[in-house]
Amino acid sequence: MMYNRLSAYATSKTLFCRYLLLLMLWIYFSCEVIAQQAAETTFSGVLSDSTGKAIVGATIMVTGRGAVTSSDARGCFSLPAAYAQSFTARHVNYLPLEVTITLPIVSDSLYRWTMQGKPNMLDQISVTASPMPIELRKIASSVSIIQKTDPELRQIQTLDEALAYIPGVSVDRGRGLTTTGTHTNVIMRGTGSANRTLILKDGVPINDSYTGGVSEWNSLAGNSIERIEVVRGPGSSIYGSNSMGGTINLVTQNPTAQPVLGADFRYGSMDTYQANMKVGKQLTDRWGAIVFAEYKKTGGYTYMADSLWNNYFQRPSMTLFNVNTKLSYNFPGAGTLTAIADYNGQQPLSGTNTIYDDHTMTGNYQLRYTNPEATYAPDILAYYNVQNRQSEAIRWDASANAFSDRYYDSRVPLDTYGLIAKVHRTWAKHAVTWGTDLRFTEIVSRKDYFDQGIQDFTGRQDFISFFINDDFSLTDRLHANLGLRYDYWANRNGRFFDNMSGEDIAINYDDASKHIVNPKIGLTYDLTNNWRLRTVYATGFRAPSSFYMYNAAPLGSSFRLGNPDLKPERMNYSFDLGADYQLSDVLELSTTIYRSQYSDFLTAVLIDADEVPSYFDVQGLPVRQYINIGEVNLWGAEAFARYRISRDLSVQLSYFYNTSKITRYETNPEYEGNSMNDNPRNNFSEAVVFDRPGLFHLSVWGRHTGSFYGDLENTTDREMAAVTVFDLKFGKTLGPVSLNINMMNIFDKQYYGSYTSPSSYYYAPGRSIFAGITYQINH
């Protein structure tokens, strides 16, 4: 019985093993047949970007098999169906795309996917380099954009400080925070003067019509900036006068859906206080508001050599207060209305033998309507800028051992109002903008010399302009910019009055005017999605301001005589050739070479005293008169590189080379071949930045400025020596609170911030240390 059972069990076991073996063989052969059939079935896919453009050269990766194919010129690829269920598409310019297909796979079907591009500088939108917002890749000009989160804008004291590391830009704030008015020089591409660079605030020119410079870089709170856009090369085809070397646009923050709340306080060297705050929010679907305020006070420093500093000289000091406000209203489906009001009050005190106690009030007001969704998209901007500068000059009285000899009181009110109206329209591949730009300025300068008399001049400067611009694509890779602007410039109602000699001298000047046309032609070509070439041809001009035409008074170490016959300066041509490249978020490169020429450049030249009308009292000073002279050739190169070593650590380098030579000087041919003043031939900057959110920020910045001449005569004793300085920034974040330390001029390098003669020169600030605390929500 037991035997029968064991025999039956053995038989059953044998049958089960045979059955299992047959089942395994059936599965094996079935799989082979299926695999063979699948291998014979193709699967096809198409890869494109968010615009629908085909992605060429994407690698298709299959786990366990590596790269099996790549996309062709149409973005197409094919795979055996066996590999198609799960794969990854990779491309250097796009984020990896992981694909899983639900079974069953339909034979000979065509699947489509969109790959998202990696962060690319060329996809940033610029609102300055073209009359309408447009991607950098379609702009032929050389452009740099500093975002509010970039290290250049961290813990800054003044806005121009952030520009010091941009190629093509030279920044001179000779006495630190105590530098006021037009003594802050921001010069682009070696054009020799700050008033040949146009400065915009939210698209509105803030160069004044008194000297053409930017009177108060301090009139905007540093924490109000959303970004700074720098466009190198003439921009007169878009913006008209002053944009010969380039254009800088200070773009302020808008209210957002998330509440913004922040406060910052810093204290440091030279008994310097700096505090600011901001608060804002999109209050409803329609209303939004944001407010910025800033307070600064500094006690200054001894800025001259001991041998030149008399014991009664006073250190310069400065106090200022800014309030910047923005209110927006969204019309449902019908655009946005934005109102801006800025106030700046500033009280600098400076001087040596004469103390200048200044009081300056600046107000900037804007009302802007935009509707980018409309077929004919309007952008209408009305603005009013007002400035009132008052100064009391008091001389040192040795007998009284005090500053008690009242010299003069002065008042310079400036009123500028204007309208910029644009319309955007897209036809096929053309984005066309046309519009008008109207600007009118009233200038008054009044000086009351105690016990001597009064000296006034007044005038009016008008601009009436029309422009058109077309940004279009010739092919998917080739883009073009065409621009043309007509300007009618006029100086009117010029009048000078002086009774310093004991008799009334009244001069009514003839009106001066000019019709000027400025074109721009630019091309960009995308070699790949992250590498492009660009070239641009443009012209520019700068109209003479009232100060250079009508003023006649002592200025510094000379007597300055105006010239009502001045002509506008002209940038005859400027030609750029450049390239930009970005490898993911790891490497960013940009380089440009350029050649420019401008004529009728304006400068103050020495003239004989007998050429001065007898009714002017030059007080025994040498006389310089403003005239248009000669021709200047410029050429140079700009380069920028940023490399991200790791997620937290990066390095960046910039280099700027420029040579500006006088090729024709009508009144003094011996000047021909001289270099333009205030033009360092070499500028080099570098930075090492470690930034890990939640841990700390540490960056070290270095700047090298080559030697340059302080005058057109290229006088050797007015040559500024080359200098290299280093700065350090440190910040530690603890939730919404952060602690920060800035150290400027780490190695306490002594160098000239201004050098006019061996007996009159100013040292830039030495080592300066500032520490602060910041509270910030949704900055």
Side-chain angles (χ1 to χ4, degrees), residues 359-421:
H359 298 264
T360 301
M361 186 283 292
T362 303
N364 300 316
Y365 309 96
Q366 298 182 28
L367 188 64
R368 185 172 194 169
Y369 173 74
T370 59
N371 186 7
E373 303 303 321
T375 303
Y376 289 88
D379 186 345
I380 303 172
L381 172 61
Y383 62 92
Y384 173 59
N385 298 339
V386 59
Q387 188 175 98
N388 192 356
R389 311 178 196 171
Q390 299 185 50
S391 180
E392 183 180 5
I394 307 173
R395 288 171 167 169
W396 173 257
D397 186 343
S399 60
N401 196 34
F403 284 98
S404 57
D405 181 13
R406 299 187 68 182
Y407 182 23
Y408 66 78
D409 286 345
S410 74
R411 187 170 69 90
V412 182
L414 300 173
D415 293 289
T416 301
Y417 48 96
L419 174 72
I420 304 173

Side-chain angles (χ1 to χ4, degrees), residues 698-751:
L698 177 65
S699 56
V700 179
W701 305 78
R703 300 187 306 276
H704 172 83
T705 303
S707 61
F708 61 92
Y709 292 105
D711 57 14
L712 290 179
E713 291 83 4
N714 289 186
T715 309
T716 55
D717 64 2
R718 294 190 181 185
E719 184 177 4
M720 302 279 280
V723 61
T724 302
V725 296
F726 292 90
D727 304 328
L728 181 144
K729 297 180 182 181
F730 173 81
K732 170 64 177 176
T733 300
L734 303 168
V737 178
S738 62
L739 308 175
N740 56 75
I741 297 175
N742 277 18
M743 185 180 295
M744 319 293 287
N745 194 356
I746 297 173
F747 300 109
D748 200 21
K749 179 73 174 180
Q750 189 176 69
Y751 65 98

Side-chain angles (χ1 to χ4, degrees), residues 331-564:
F331 298 96
T336 302
L337 185 67
T338 304
I340 294 176
D342 300 329
Y343 168 83
N344 167 256
Q346 192 166 201
Q347 298 182 29
L349 181 69
S350 63
T352 52
N353 295 302
T354 302
I355 290 294
Y356 300 93
D357 187 2
D358 298 335
H359 298 264
T360 301
M361 186 283 292
T362 303
N364 300 316
Y365 309 96
Q366 298 182 28
L367 188 64
R368 185 172 194 169
Y369 173 74
T370 59
N371 186 7
E373 303 303 321
T375 303
Y376 289 88
D379 186 345
I380 303 172
L381 172 61
Y383 62 92
Y384 173 59
N385 298 339
V386 59
Q387 188 175 98
N388 192 356
R389 311 178 196 171
Q390 299 185 50
S391 180
E392 183 180 5
I394 307 173
R395 288 171 167 169
W396 173 257
D397 186 343
S399 60
N401 196 34
F403 284 98
S404 57
D405 181 13
R406 299 187 68 182
Y407 182 23
Y408 66 78
D409 286 345
S410 74
R411 187 170 69 90
V412 182
L414 300 173
D415 293 289
T416 301
Y417 48 96
L419 174 72
I420 304 173
K422 299 182 286 188
V423 175
H424 309 303
R425 178 69 165 93
T426 300
W427 283 286
K429 295 185 177 181
H430 295 262
V432 181
T433 304
W434 66 95
T436 184
D437 186 350
L438 310 176
R439 185 184 186 196
F440 309 99
T441 302
E442 298 280 355
I443 305 106
V444 177
S445 175
R446 304 188 183 278
K447 281 188 178 180
D448 184 357
Y449 290 85
F450 291 95
D451 301 324
Q452 296 181 67
I454 63 174
Q455 187 183 80
D456 299 343
F457 76 84
T458 60
R460 177 186 177 92
Q461 188 172 74
D462 300 339
F463 292 94
I464 300 175
S465 312
F466 302 94
F467 56 87
I468 186 168
N469 190 91
D470 186 9
D471 295 300
F472 61 96
S473 298
L474 297 168
T475 68
D476 289 341
R477 296 189 176 190
L478 184 61
H479 313 288
N481 311 134
L482 298 179
L484 188 68
R485 176 169 169 138
Y486 162 83
D487 283 273
Y488 173 73
W489 155 81
N491 268 33
R492 308 179 188 276
N493 305 333
R495 187 175 186 274
F496 181 87
F497 178 83
D498 187 323
N499 64 4
M500 301 278 286
S501 62
E503 61 176 302
D504 292 350
I505 305 297
I507 306 172
N508 293 309
Y509 296 107
D510 293 336
D511 293 348
S513 63
K514 190 79 171 179
H515 302 268
I516 301 172
V517 175
N518 287 285
K520 174 186 176 182
I521 303 172
L523 294 172
T524 68
Y525 182 75
D526 296 330
L527 293 171
T528 64
N529 187 57
N530 60 339
W531 184 15
R532 68 151 183 176
L533 303 177
R534 51 182 164 77
T535 184
V536 62
Y537 165 86
T539 65
F541 83 103
R542 179 174 76 99
S545 62
S546 299
F547 177 84
Y548 301 117
M549 300 183 76
Y550 307 136
N551 189 38
L555 179 65
S557 58
S558 64
F559 185 91
R560 297 298 177 95
L561 185 64
N563 182 355

Side-chain angles (χ1 to χ4, degrees), residues 93-384:
N93 296 326
Y94 297 88
L95 298 173
L97 176 68
E98 296 184 358
V99 177
T100 300
I101 301 176
T102 303
L103 295 174
I105 296 173
V106 180
S107 300
D108 300 321
S109 59
L110 185 65
Y111 292 79
R112 297 180 181 274
W113 291 278
T114 299
M115 297 185 71
Q116 299 300 317
K118 291 181 179 178
N120 193 320
M121 64 178 179
L122 299 181
D123 293 325
Q124 294 186 76
I125 301 296
S126 171
V127 299
T128 309
S130 176
M132 66 178 296
I134 194 170
E135 301 99 321
L136 283 182
R137 70 172 60 256
K138 296 181 180 179
I139 294 173
S141 301
S142 176
V143 182
S144 296
I145 298 179
I146 305 175
Q147 303 284 357
K148 65 181 180 182
T149 54
D150 289 342
E152 288 88 344
L153 279 171
R154 277 182 178 265
Q155 302 159 210
I156 58 173
Q157 289 184 291
T158 60
L159 291 177
D160 48 285
E161 178 185 327
L163 304 172
Y165 305 98
I166 294 179
V169 182
S170 299
V171 178
D172 175 22
R173 180 177 281 270
R175 292 186 304 187
L177 277 178
T178 63
T179 305
T180 59
T182 53
H183 296 103
T184 300
N185 288 319
V186 176
I187 301 172
M188 294 183 66
R189 287 195 169 178
T191 51
S193 176
N195 52 28
R196 297 186 183 109
T197 297
L198 180 66
I199 312 299
L200 308 173
K201 188 264 181 181
D202 288 320
V204 172
I206 58 175
N207 297 65
D208 65 52
S209 295
Y210 186 64
T211 64
V214 176
S215 299
E216 305 302 342
W217 271 97
N218 291 328
S219 64
L220 276 177
N223 65 341
S224 69
I225 297 300
E226 177 70 24
R227 66 185 181 277
I228 300 176
E229 298 192 7
V230 179
V231 184
R232 289 172 283 271
S236 293
S237 66
I238 302 174
Y239 298 107
S241 182
N242 292 88
S243 182
M244 293 177 66
T247 305
I248 299 172
N249 191 11
L250 310 173
V251 182
T252 59
Q253 296 179 30
N254 290 315
T256 59
Q258 294 296 320
V260 172
L261 177 63
D264 178 85
F265 176 79
R266 268 179 276 173
Y267 177 77
S269 302
M270 296 172 279
D271 197 26
T272 299
Y273 298 86
Q274 183 170 344
N276 60 52
M277 60 80 64
K278 61 181 173 181
V279 59
K281 189 182 186 301
Q282 188 69 36
L283 303 173
T284 67
D285 290 341
R286 297 189 179 185
W287 289 100
I290 191 164
V291 179
F292 309 88
E294 181 177 56
Y295 173 81
K296 294 179 185 177
K297 183 177 181 180
T298 184
Y301 64 101
T302 302
Y303 56 85
M304 299 175 73
D306 293 340
S307 60
L308 301 176
W309 189 266
N310 291 323
N311 56 7
Y312 61 84
F313 287 179
Q314 296 186 20
R315 293 181 177 182
S317 63
M318 188 272 292
T319 302
L320 71 81
F321 178 65
N322 291 321
V323 178
N324 308 127
T325 63
K326 182 179 288 189
L327 181 67
S328 64
Y329 180 81
N330 297 316
F331 298 96
T336 302
L337 185 67
T338 304
I340 294 176
D342 300 329
Y343 168 83
N344 167 256
Q346 192 166 201
Q347 298 182 29
L349 181 69
S350 63
T352 52
N353 295 302
T354 302
I355 290 294
Y356 300 93
D357 187 2
D358 298 335
H359 298 264
T360 301
M361 186 283 292
T362 303
N364 300 316
Y365 309 96
Q366 298 182 28
L367 188 64
R368 185 172 194 169
Y369 173 74
T370 59
N371 186 7
E373 303 303 321
T375 303
Y376 289 88
D379 186 345
I380 303 172
L381 172 61
Y383 62 92
Y384 173 59

Side-chain angles (χ1 to χ4, degrees), residues 642-673:
R642 179 185 285 119
Y643 178 66
R644 186 175 296 280
I645 299 173
S646 65
R647 182 187 65 177
D648 309 310
L649 182 64
S650 64
V651 296
Q652 65 182 55
L653 304 170
S654 71
Y655 176 71
F656 171 53
Y657 173 85
N658 177 270
T659 176
S660 302
K661 293 290 186 181
I662 301 173
T663 55
R664 182 166 52 86
Y665 198 128
E666 295 166 357
T667 58
N668 292 285
E670 64 272 16
Y671 282 33
E672 294 175 1

